[in-house]
Amino acid sequence: MKLQFSAKLLSLSALFAVGMTQAAEIHVKLINLTHGIAFTPVLVAAHSSDAALFKVGETASASLEMMAEGGDVSGLKTEVEAADGAVLELTTTPTLAGATSMGSLDTGENMYLSLTAMLLPTNDGFVGLDSWKIPDDPGTYTLMLNAYDAGTEVNDELIVAGAAATPGIPANPSGSSGMNGTGASTDEANNRVHIHPGNLGDTDSDGGFSDLDSRVHRWLNPVAKLMITVK
Amino acid sequence: MKYLLLNPGKLLLMLMATGVLASCSLDFGDDDDNDEPEPVVNQVYQISIQNLTQSQPLSPPGIFTHSTEYKLWAAGEMASVALEVLAEGGDASMLDDLDIVMQSQLAEMPVAPGENMSWTFEIEQGSTEALSIATMLVNTNDAFTGVTAMPLANMGVGEVHQQYLQAYDAGTEMNDESALPGPAASAEGFNASRSGDVNRVYLHAGVLTQYELSGSVLMPEHKFDNPVAKLMVKRLQ
């Protein structure tokens, strides 16, 4: 019974597809609005309402954790493609504060747009867009993006080169790193995806509690501006 | 009138008393009744709040309806004592006592970080009641969030209104980050004095933590950035 119903739905949507214009080609432009926070490679994904890169208030998937703690988007990319989504790797290397990145994506019949990139230096912070409905009307749409915390790692603010599974911040392309900090947060009180409380940092480059610089590595939302042109 | 919706049991009794349910089946699983002409029913809304902070439990929210001409607070203006009691102590009961309040529901539990809480609310058909919600960020001196005087009547059935909420400072208590009622300190809540603060409601500037403020009990995880909560209002019928 259920199968029959789905088949009927499918044929209906196929019918509509013939008559309706699909949001096929979009152009995206992302501006990093922060003072001193870099974005790791930015993943843009067009997908159906059944898929998502992340959901606020839900536990991070292993793939999201890989992205948020180490900047590795391969897991998310594989999952989107497996769900018949379309993917644009907007950047493939970290981009610094102030940078603008642009690219185009054929969304196919996918109606929703999402984006993720890790924020460096943070423990598990990322800039995100979750399931924005791609409008049918051509035009340029501007969205302001917030910084999220994946909820998978305590924000100790210590720079420790290493794999994603290693506690600590894996790299700091933004500069102004400190060392020998004793650790900022000691507790990850919310282990689901939530709004990032922000870096604290200190002004002690050798010691203190944080390896981050409070004059350089803070931000307030929004952290990025995303302009999407629907053609 | 004011406590129209104290609890579901009472609601049911009241609906039965007013005859609203008299013409329809009490078997809620029976969808066939939908073909019948609709009896006069109230406008029903589902309201939910999600806590988006890392470590700021939200005090038991107070949810109110009142005439659209009132607001429970206004940025740039002095907080009422009732708002001060909510923002400093997490206690919504004085807001509930305000004469302007038409209906109310007071939660019994806080909304923990990451958690969702939802309520069902009804207004009479054609009523122009507006919605207000207020809740304290408990690991702060006088931070609160919510929405005030949101119109309900113009929402269509099935319509969803989603809004990200900002943190306000009630402006009624100096942010010493130690005289706060949340689990980070379990110290003083409401205090009638307003000395040391600006005595007007403004958008909260965030907390400093014990690393930057001598005497603060707060840790980096108690920091917050906007938005601090997500409000969803859905008109069910």
Side-chain angles (χ1 to χ4, degrees):
Chain A
M1 276 306 272
K2 196 169 181 188
L3 193 69
Q4 202 178 4
F5 183 61
S6 313
K8 204 160 146 193
L9 266 183
L10 266 178
S11 60
L12 264 178
S13 62
L15 264 177
F16 276 113
V18 176
M20 286 170 65
T21 327
Q22 294 296 312
E25 183 80 4
I26 63 167
H27 181 261
V28 297
K29 178 178 174 183
L30 182 73
I31 304 173
N32 179 333
L33 299 178
T34 67
H35 172 82
I37 302 292
F39 294 170
T40 61
V42 178
L43 183 73
V44 180
H47 53 81
S48 72
S49 59
D50 297 332
L53 296 183
F54 69 97
K55 287 276 173 209
V56 176
E58 293 185 7
T59 308
S61 66
S63 296
L64 186 75
E65 184 175 359
M66 264 169 63
M67 183 284 300
E69 294 184 13
D72 179 356
V73 296
S74 61
L76 289 173
K77 186 184 168 199
T78 303
E79 285 173 17
V80 171
E81 286 172 342
D84 295 326
V87 160
L88 166 67
E89 291 179 89
L90 189 64
T91 55
T92 51
T93 53
T95 47
L96 298 178
T100 297
S101 311
M102 289 184 278
S104 292
L105 172 65
D106 185 346
T107 61
E109 297 188 2
N110 295 292
M111 304 288 282
Y112 294 88
L113 196 71
S114 292
L115 177 153
T116 59
M118 183 190 183
L119 302 173
L120 283 175
T122 68
N123 287 83
D124 60 341
F126 67 96
V127 53
L129 172 69
D130 172 29
S131 302
W132 181 70
K133 178 92 161 42
I134 302 168
D136 291 328
D137 293 335
T140 297
Y141 302 85
T142 300
L143 305 174
M144 305 303 272
L145 307 185
N146 290 327
Y148 296 92
D149 186 309
T152 53
E153 187 174 302
V154 173
N155 296 331
D156 64 10
E157 300 188 5
L158 300 180
I159 298 172
V160 182
T166 314
I169 298 167
N172 177 24
S174 300
S176 302
S177 293
M179 52 165 68
N180 299 321
T182 55
S185 269
T186 53
D187 181 33
E188 182 76 10
N190 186 345
N191 57 15
R192 306 180 199 181
V193 177
H194 56 275
I195 294 290
H196 200 291
N199 284 338
L200 190 56
D202 59 29
T203 55
D204 188 346
S205 60
D206 187 6
F209 59 88
S210 171
D211 288 346
L212 308 185
D213 190 319
S214 55
R215 298 159 296 188
V216 178
H217 299 129
R218 288 191 181 179
W219 71 82
L220 290 174
N221 285 326
V223 292
K225 180 173 174 177
L226 178 65
M227 277 167 284
I228 300 151
T229 303
V230 178
K231 292 176 183 168
Chain B
M1 192 59 200
K2 188 174 161 190
Y3 294 100
L4 189 62
L5 296 173
L6 261 184
N7 60 54
K10 190 165 181 183
L11 168 65
L12 191 63
L13 278 174
M14 292 194 65
L15 286 174
M16 289 173 80
T18 52
V20 173
L21 288 179
S23 60
C24 65
S25 166
L26 277 172
D27 177 8
F28 294 109
D30 184 1
D31 289 339
D32 293 341
D33 281 3
N34 289 351
D35 297 336
E36 304 288 324
E38 289 279 29
V40 178
V41 290
N42 289 341
Q43 298 178 188
V44 182
Y45 300 83
Q46 184 180 37
I47 295 155
S48 67
I49 280 209
Q50 185 173 30
N51 183 339
L52 302 181
T53 69
Q54 177 154 127
S55 198
Q56 289 286 347
L58 298 174
S59 67
I63 306 204
F64 312 98
T65 67
H66 50 81
S67 160
T68 49
E69 67 196 283
Y70 299 110
K71 281 174 175 269
L72 296 189
W73 66 86
E77 303 202 0
M78 196 171 83
S80 66
V81 173
L83 183 71
E84 181 181 0
V85 168
L86 177 278
E88 294 181 13
D91 176 2
S93 64
M94 264 188 85
L95 286 170
D96 190 33
D97 289 341
L98 295 175
D99 289 340
I100 61 161
V101 170
M102 296 166 73
Q103 297 188 51
S104 63
Q105 291 190 50
L106 302 186
E108 290 176 358
M109 297 291 289
V111 187
E115 295 283 344
N116 233 319
M117 195 178 276
S118 67
W119 303 263
T120 308
F121 227 93
E122 299 197 14
I123 63 174
E124 284 173 27
Q125 202 159 44
S127 166
T128 55
E129 282 160 77
L131 177 74
S132 287
I133 298 175
T135 176
M136 179 193 184
L137 282 68
V138 299
N139 288 321
T140 67
N141 289 87
D142 60 343
F144 71 99
T145 190
V147 66
T148 190
M150 185 192 138
L152 287 174
N154 54 3
M155 286 181 73
V157 174
E159 197 177 318
V160 177
H161 173 82
Q162 189 174 296
Q163 188 174 341
Y164 287 92
L165 305 182
Q166 317 282 312
Y168 291 95
D169 189 309
T172 55
E173 183 175 306
M174 188 169 66
N175 295 333
D176 68 4
E177 300 182 9
S178 66
L180 48 91
S186 299
E188 182 189 82
F190 171 68
N191 179 320
S193 165
R194 295 189 179 189
S195 68
D197 207 342
V198 295
N199 202 16
R200 60 183 152 77
V201 174
Y202 60 95
L203 277 181
H204 203 288
V207 296
L208 295 173
T209 81
Q210 59 185 255
Y211 291 117
E212 294 190 345
L213 176 64
S214 169
S216 170
V217 299
L218 299 181
M219 288 291 288
E221 58 266 29
H222 297 117
K223 279 161 60 71
F224 55 87
D225 191 3
N226 288 318
V228 293
K230 181 167 130 180
L231 169 72
M232 195 134 81
V233 179
K234 182 177 185 183
R235 183 166 166 196
L236 300 175
Q237 68 179 45

